[in-house]
Amino acid sequence: MATAEAQKKWRDKHRFVKRQLNVMTGKRVHQYLGEIAGQFDLRGKGEAVTFAAFVTKALAQHAEFDRHAARMLEDFADIYHRDRDIYAL
């Protein structure tokens, strides 16, 4: 864990453009994030989270005018909600 001084330095540097997000999640999700980072040449799991949010938002925007994308997004949401306990561990 970063020292209080290092955290303050990071916050001061990025205060207008970034906010730190600490999330507790299961080992499987950490593994997925590592795989995503490697597959898409990202800088690590933190950037993989950003990429996942970007892809989700892009798919949602695409779904506004593409029926196939809308159905795919709806299916993903339904599957996630059905199996939420598996991913939330």
Side-chain angles (χ1 to χ4, degrees):
M1 183 155 162
T3 65
E5 182 180 330
Q7 289 177 357
K8 182 181 180 337
K9 183 177 178 182
W10 186 93
R11 286 187 195 103
D12 289 345
K13 180 179 178 183
H14 299 288
R15 72 174 165 244
F16 297 116
V17 294
K18 293 185 178 184
R19 289 192 323 202
Q20 193 169 6
L21 176 66
N22 295 320
V23 179
M24 291 292 291
T25 188
K27 290 180 183 181
R28 181 180 294 155
V29 173
H30 279 276
Q31 181 182 354
Y32 293 162
L33 291 171
E35 291 170 4
I36 292 167
Q39 183 177 359
F40 294 100
D41 194 29
L42 305 173
R43 293 185 196 127
K45 292 188 284 186
E47 192 172 16
V49 171
T50 302
F51 180 73
F54 168 80
V55 169
T56 302
K57 184 66 174 175
L59 181 57
Q61 289 174 344
H62 191 67
E64 292 176 6
F65 59 88
D66 182 326
R67 193 175 43 142
H68 179 67
R71 180 65 189 162
M72 204 165 50
L73 184 59
E74 185 179 316
D75 287 345
F76 291 151
D78 290 344
I79 292 165
Y80 177 80
H81 286 290
R82 182 191 68 213
D83 299 334
R84 175 183 274 165
D85 292 339
I86 293 171
Y87 298 107
L89 295 176

